[in-house]
Amino acid sequence: MNVELHIEELVLHGFEGGDRDRIGEAVQQELTRLFAQGVPPSLAQGGEIGRLDGGGFEMTASMQSGAIGVQIAQSIYGGL
């Protein structure tokens, strides 16, 4: 099964430019890893999701940008 995921916009307020880039890269890597493990049932039948609220997660000031990206990806995947 081929899955194409297009995230038109990922809004990250309060982060420096370099951090936003690293967060975006981590989101992409984690989503790739998660989809390699399996496609959520909501997508297995095909179709399109116009908008997704991935919910929220806790973070601390000391979290690295990669860990933040992983949390975001897991929230997105879990929302599917």
Side-chain angles (χ1 to χ4, degrees):
M1 168 181 278
N2 291 325
V3 175
E4 182 176 325
L5 177 65
H6 174 76
I7 299 175
E8 185 172 323
E9 184 176 26
L10 178 62
V11 179
L12 300 170
H13 295 287
F15 294 96
E16 298 292 326
D19 287 335
R20 288 192 303 265
D21 293 342
R22 286 187 290 277
I23 291 169
E25 290 170 12
V27 168
Q28 181 178 352
Q29 290 173 356
E30 180 66 2
L31 283 172
T32 299
R33 186 188 74 77
L34 291 168
F35 276 101
Q37 293 179 358
V39 176
S42 62
L43 296 179
Q45 292 88 24
E48 186 175 308
I49 298 172
R51 183 179 174 103
L52 173 73
D53 179 356
F57 59 90
E58 297 284 326
M59 62 178 257
T60 64
S62 64
M63 280 182 78
Q64 298 293 317
S65 53
I68 294 168
V70 167
Q71 290 282 340
I72 291 170
Q74 291 174 351
S75 292
I76 291 169
Y77 188 83
L80 296 172

